[in-house]
Amino acid sequence: MTGKEYIDRADESLDAAYEAPMSLAEYVDAVLETPQLAAHASKYLLDAIEDAGTRMVIEEGEEKERYRFFDDPYNDGEHAILGNTEVLNAFVDDLRSIAAGRGKDEKIIWLEGPTATGKSELKRCLINGLREYSKTPEGRRYTVEWNVAGAGGSATSMTYGNAAIEDEDDWYESPVQAHPLTVFPDDVRTDLLAEVNERLDDHIPIRVDGELDPFSREAYDFLEEQYRRQGETDLFSAVTQPAHLRVKNFVVDVGHGIGILHSEDEGTPKERLVGSWMHGMLRELDSRGRKNPQAFSYDGVLSQGNGLLTVVEDAAQHADLLQKLLNVPDESHVKLDKGIGMDVDTQLVIISNPDLEAQLNKHADREGQDPLKALKRRLDKHEFTYLTNLSLEAQLLRRELTNETQVWDPETWDELETWIQEPLTISVRDEVASATDKELAPHTVESAALYAVVSRLDSAEIPTGLDLVDKALLFDRGYLMEGDERVDIEDYDLETTAEDGDHGIPVTYVRDIIADLLHESQDRHHPDLPVEHVLMPRDVLNAVAEGLEDAPVFSTGEATEYEERVVTVKNYIFGQQEQDVLDAMMRDKRVDEATVEEYIEQVYAWESDDQIENERGELVDPDPLKMKVFEIEHLGRFDEKNYDGNDPDHAVEQFRTDKIITALNRHAWQRRDEEFRVSDVNPKEIPVINTVLGSYDWDDIKRTYEDFEPGQWDNPPSGTETARLKAKALDNMVEMFDYTPASAELTSRHVMSQVSYRWD
């Protein structure tokens, strides 16, 4: 595009976000037509979250509905909060209760959790989401601005800055985003809101409590006095005429409907809460014997967040301030000074690490005499934990290592599993600023993420026969395969405990370990190969485990415990690599879907004594030879001794009935709709069929390649079956699983080094 075209696009973007100012009457008409435009703070925040919609996810093995708002959709997922869906849903439930006035009005929402659990991402996600929602027609946010020029007063009487008043500059916006309906007297506003709520298609009515902010009240009172002196009888109409008052929409942002108190912010509690007096302005403005609220800065967190959201970040740094906030949710009021108060409408959220709770409990032994009891009663705590889902942790780790922001929203587990196992290429610059692409081989991110998750799981609550890796997989996809059978998490009676996700290896530690490995100049494990810049799963797992003892974030007990858990992860990842190599070696022997469907059709006909239609359209009996060949050659489950000629023995018959017919019937039943109709069922989507037909073992290799020698894999003699099979397998690994030639070589060598020990 040309420069002019980019300018035009920017114009269109701003035009879509802003409207021309309107009169108070026009605003009321707009609200009567679209009532949600007048929503109070907690309801507006709830509307913004719900407007983005929901999606289904699996966390801790359970299917949960998740609000897309927390995926940071307006910002391409850059600050998406991964996991913690139950915590976020509870947060939304609190907002719903607060917005409806159902007994939680006095509560301050408290989000607590260790570092790197998504709390800071929530703050950024709220800012992004509310900003973009306020740019949409249904999310417009409005306030008032005043102009007292021409009403007989001094020009400087309206300023809370040093700008000269002239023409359009005579207009001054409410510094605390005053709600336009607060201009109306209480009795009129009550009737107006009653009509608005009658037209509102929502079970949560709109509330607009409180009075005009002090700045706007000063303007209103000044105008009222001027027109009363002039003998004006319709005072409200005169004061609020378009020449003096207009309603404008604003784009929500930090300082403009969102107040953020950062950990480094300083000042007295009053300055941090609402702002400070500008003494030079007090001398310029006519204060009529008192402090003029137009000489106030309004740069405190409540002033900036009035009308929507107030966030106290790293609240342990502002523990002294929390007690000063008690009256805000109770009374929706805060004082600028002894004689000047301000009504506020804001949703209070405080964010902290666990150290705030220690501060709040320092007087707990005093029981009824605890001076912090009133504060603790008002705090509604929601605890963020470390991720306990492999797919979420893999996604988070990739985000930490790269600029990836896309939120994974797969259609199937197979699709998600592919993303988890994918390789990753990262460009690393050395001391002379030259860039080198370095590869994290397939399963490397998966291995690091799995190790972090396993370190966070409660080892005391594992069903017999399972290990921590099994628990991690159950939490991620909700089932395990036991042989040919799919067993769901409910069948294991496995539930999340308070210990799951409470502690463990944080993603930032793993990220730093990988970053250090990436800056090593070459592959340190295979100097005999022309292979550089490849990180393998075992490289990362060894480095993460070896660094635990010296890392200051872990106690001695934690380091020992986490180091012991690496073995199960290594075993699982090796199994994944081994299966990749097997599948690549047997790719040419894989059964096609048409052959699978033909076998299924033959088995169904055999079981029900039916006939099937052949390629010529003739009805014929099922072919016992075809079933036998399929079961021996493709399934590898049986051999000639299981058949009398082509007639199957009891073991084969039971396999066909239990593993094929029953599994297909069960899957078809699960796929039924509300009218008990069954949609098309793809046999290869059924776990039992997919496992039987899609997995191979070394017995299959022995049976298929009789002259294969795994001990020769590193340097196979030319012309041998091993050499031919290796060349084919490496090509297939690159094509099927996105290995590079280097990572395929290293992975296959690692697998064959273990296989050769047990080959004979």
Side-chain angles (χ1 to χ4, degrees):
M1 289 195 301
T2 65
K4 178 62 167 60
E5 288 172 326
Y6 279 111
I7 297 297
D8 291 342
R9 278 187 58 190
D11 286 337
E12 291 172 3
S13 177
L14 290 178
D15 289 344
Y18 293 100
E19 297 174 350
M22 67 182 82
S23 68
L24 185 61
E26 290 171 329
Y27 170 75
V28 171
D29 289 338
V31 167
L32 289 172
E33 182 178 346
T34 313
Q36 67 264 27
L37 296 178
H40 52 286
S42 53
K43 178 171 171 54
Y44 182 88
L45 180 53
L46 179 65
D47 289 345
I49 293 171
E50 292 182 335
D51 182 73
T54 61
R55 64 185 178 97
M56 298 306 297
V57 297
I58 293 180
E59 290 179 24
E60 288 76 49
E62 298 179 10
E63 194 172 50
K64 302 173 184 178
E65 189 174 30
R66 177 182 176 85
Y67 291 97
R68 290 184 180 273
F69 180 91
F70 300 114
D71 295 337
D72 197 15
Y74 299 109
N75 203 38
D76 297 326
E78 181 178 355
H79 297 296
I81 307 154
L82 302 183
N84 282 296
T85 294
E86 282 192 1
V87 180
L88 296 171
N89 287 349
F91 169 62
V92 176
D93 289 342
D94 273 359
L95 286 178
R96 190 170 290 109
S97 296
I98 293 169
R102 292 197 293 262
K104 281 200 171 186
D105 300 57
E106 82 284 2
K107 290 292 187 180
I108 300 173
I109 297 178
W110 176 19
L111 300 169
E112 184 202 63
T115 57
T117 52
K119 304 186 305 299
S120 295
E121 296 304 300
L122 173 62
K123 179 197 70 175
R124 297 184 181 97
C125 191
L126 287 168
I127 294 170
N128 291 338
L130 292 172
R131 180 198 300 121
E132 297 306 317
Y133 180 64
S134 71
K135 295 178 182 179
T136 65
E138 61 275 11
R140 293 280 194 255
R141 204 67 176 145
Y142 296 90
T143 188
V144 295
E145 54 183 0
W146 299 88
N147 187 340
V148 300
S154 167
T156 58
S157 64
M158 271 304 296
T159 183
Y160 56 98
N162 293 316
I165 295 180
E166 182 178 351
D167 300 325
E168 188 64 24
D169 291 338
D170 291 346
W171 288 98
Y172 285 91
E173 182 181 336
S174 163
V176 292
Q177 304 79 233
H179 196 296
L181 295 186
T182 57
V183 176
F184 286 95
D186 288 346
D187 57 339
V188 178
R189 191 195 320 164
T190 299
D191 293 340
L192 174 55
L193 284 173
E195 183 175 354
V196 168
N197 285 319
E198 283 181 6
R199 304 186 182 198
L200 181 66
D201 185 20
D202 196 340
H203 65 284
I204 298 177
I206 292 172
R207 306 194 314 264
V208 181
D209 303 318
E211 305 297 331
L212 276 173
D213 65 278
F215 177 91
S216 298
R217 172 56 59 184
E218 194 78 11
Y220 186 100
D221 290 346
F222 173 81
L223 290 167
E224 184 182 58
E225 182 179 351
Q226 296 301 316
Y227 283 110
R228 189 172 60 249
R229 287 178 178 176
Q230 296 173 23
E232 178 63 56
T233 56
D234 296 328
L235 281 177
F236 188 80
S237 294
V239 171
T240 62
Q241 63 180 290
H244 295 310
L245 172 69
R246 64 189 186 187
V247 178
K248 61 173 289 187
N249 81 294
F250 65 93
V251 173
V252 171
D253 211 334
V254 176
H256 221 156
I258 301 177
I260 306 290
L261 188 61
H262 302 281
S263 59
E264 67 271 17
D265 290 340
E266 298 177 344
T268 65
K270 184 73 70 179
E271 290 172 331
R272 283 176 283 165
L273 281 174
V274 285
S276 59
W277 293 103
M278 299 178 288
H279 297 287
M281 291 303 301
L282 283 174
R283 289 192 295 270
E284 293 182 27
L285 294 171
D286 175 20
S287 61
R288 289 173 287 178
R290 61 178 175 80
K291 291 181 178 178
N292 192 317
Q294 295 162 348
F296 200 75
S297 69
Y298 297 98
D299 58 2
V301 64
L302 289 175
S303 299
Q304 295 182 351
N306 186 53
L308 193 48
L309 176 68
T310 297
V311 178
V312 179
E313 186 183 45
D314 197 7
Q317 303 296 321
H318 297 286
D320 64 319
L321 194 67
L322 297 183
Q323 285 185 284
K324 304 290 184 181
L325 287 170
L326 292 183
N327 70 310
V328 174
D330 278 0
E331 303 172 14
S332 298
H333 188 85
V334 66
K335 287 186 175 181
L336 311 185
D337 200 54
K338 292 180 180 179
I340 304 175
M342 179 174 74
D343 291 325
V344 293
D345 175 30
T346 188
Q347 180 54 55
L348 270 168
V349 175
I350 68 170
I351 299 175
S352 79
N353 290 328
D355 50 354
L356 174 62
E357 188 160 19
Q359 294 187 48
L360 295 176
N361 290 330
K362 61 184 179 182
H363 303 298
D365 57 342
R366 296 168 61 178
E367 298 182 353
Q369 303 301 314
D370 185 353
L372 298 176
K373 188 175 182 179
L375 172 60
K376 290 190 285 187
R377 182 181 66 82
R378 286 169 171 81
L379 294 174
D380 201 355
K381 179 181 173 184
H382 301 286
E383 189 172 2
F384 276 70
T385 61
Y386 287 122
L387 299 177
T388 54
N389 277 59
L390 168 60
S391 56
L392 292 172
E393 186 68 15
Q395 186 178 175
L396 179 59
L397 183 55
R398 293 179 74 99
R399 283 169 169 260
E400 292 286 333
L401 292 169
T402 69
N403 293 322
E404 292 183 12
T405 60
Q406 182 182 4
V407 175
W408 293 354
D409 188 11
E411 295 291 332
T412 64
W413 164 254
D414 288 343
E415 185 179 13
L416 182 59
E417 187 174 42
T418 298
W419 296 344
I420 294 170
Q421 298 173 354
E422 277 182 339
L424 183 62
T425 300
I426 299 177
S427 182
V428 179
R429 294 188 176 277
D430 58 22
E431 293 82 357
V432 295
S434 60
T436 302
D437 286 342
K438 300 197 175 183
E439 177 195 3
L440 274 66
H443 302 292
T444 301
V445 172
E446 177 188 19
S447 67
L450 181 59
Y451 188 22
V453 168
V454 162
S455 75
R456 303 165 186 169
L457 298 179
D458 184 0
S459 60
E461 297 293 333
I462 302 180
T464 303
L466 302 185
D467 59 25
L468 284 169
V469 169
D470 294 326
K471 183 174 182 178
L473 296 176
L474 281 169
F475 275 4
D476 203 41
R477 63 192 184 199
Y479 68 89
L480 289 178
M481 296 303 300
E482 291 189 353
D484 298 334
E485 295 292 336
R486 166 176 166 153
V487 185
D488 293 326
I489 190 171
E490 294 84 3
D491 299 323
Y492 289 108
D493 194 25
L494 178 65
E495 297 181 355
T496 305
T497 72
E499 298 295 320
D500 290 321
D502 184 57
H503 61 283
I505 299 175
V507 67
T508 48
Y509 168 77
V510 178
R511 175 203 64 198
D512 293 344
I513 292 291
I514 294 177
D516 290 341
L517 292 174
L518 286 171
H519 282 87
E520 293 184 3
S521 61
Q522 61 182 359
D523 177 56
R524 32 184 200 135
H525 300 286
H526 297 272
D528 60 314
L529 290 175
V531 175
E532 294 184 353
H533 317 309
V534 179
L535 272 184
M536 300 294 291
R538 61 187 181 277
D539 299 335
V540 173
L541 291 175
N542 288 336
V544 171
E546 290 167 3
L548 293 170
E549 186 177 353
D550 297 327
V553 294
F554 306 113
S555 67
T556 302
E558 287 176 326
T560 301
E561 178 187 359
Y562 302 157
E563 188 174 1
E564 291 172 352
R565 298 188 181 191
V566 75
V567 176
T568 57
V569 178
K570 285 184 174 180
N571 291 340
Y572 173 78
I573 295 298
F574 176 79
Q576 297 289 90
Q577 294 173 308
E578 183 178 32
Q579 196 59 56
D580 286 353
V581 174
L582 280 166
D583 288 347
M585 295 171 73
M586 294 291 290
R587 183 183 188 184
D588 295 344
K589 307 300 180 182
R590 295 177 70 90
V591 60
D592 60 78
E593 190 168 323
T595 304
V596 175
E597 291 176 350
E598 182 184 21
Y599 170 70
I600 297 296
E601 186 179 25
Q602 293 275 347
V603 171
Y604 258 104
W606 163 84
E607 195 270 343
S608 57
D609 291 328
D610 287 340
Q611 291 184 310
I612 58 177
E613 189 176 297
N614 63 18
E615 59 273 10
R616 294 187 298 274
E618 303 167 342
L619 290 177
V620 297
D621 293 329
D623 189 337
L625 177 59
K626 283 187 176 181
M627 288 184 280
K628 171 184 173 181
V629 170
F630 187 93
E631 288 159 352
I632 293 176
E633 293 188 0
H634 294 306
L635 298 184
R637 300 290 294 258
F638 306 103
D639 53 33
E640 289 287 349
K641 69 176 182 290
N642 294 106
Y643 302 85
D644 181 7
N646 294 330
D647 295 332
D649 63 9
H650 176 71
V652 177
E653 290 180 345
Q654 188 172 17
F655 169 80
R656 292 176 183 176
T657 301
D658 294 347
K659 302 301 184 183
I660 306 299
I661 302 297
T662 301
L664 277 169
N665 289 341
R666 184 189 305 120
H667 189 62
W669 174 256
Q670 293 170 347
R671 294 282 294 271
R672 73 194 187 283
D673 60 18
E674 293 180 355
E675 298 180 4
F676 290 86
R677 295 173 304 194
V678 179
S679 59
D680 292 337
V681 176
N682 179 358
K684 298 198 76 173
E685 291 180 358
I686 302 171
V688 64
I689 300 296
N690 192 44
T691 299
V692 170
L693 301 180
S695 299
Y696 300 97
D697 58 28
W698 296 106
D699 288 336
D700 295 317
I701 300 294
K702 284 184 177 180
R703 185 174 61 251
T704 307
Y705 303 103
E706 296 180 357
D707 295 330
F708 171 66
E709 291 291 341
Q712 298 177 348
W713 188 271
D714 285 4
N715 189 21
S718 60
T720 62
E721 186 168 49
T722 303
R724 291 190 295 271
L725 184 56
K726 178 179 180 178
K728 180 178 68 174
L730 295 184
D731 288 343
N732 288 338
M733 289 176 71
V734 171
E735 186 174 343
M736 295 169 64
F737 306 117
D738 290 332
Y739 283 85
T740 62
S743 60
E745 175 72 40
L746 294 177
T747 300
S748 65
R749 282 195 175 200
H750 178 54
V751 168
M752 291 303 173
S753 68
Q754 303 300 312
V755 171
S756 61
Y757 289 124
R758 60 179 190 264
W759 184 251
D760 293 333

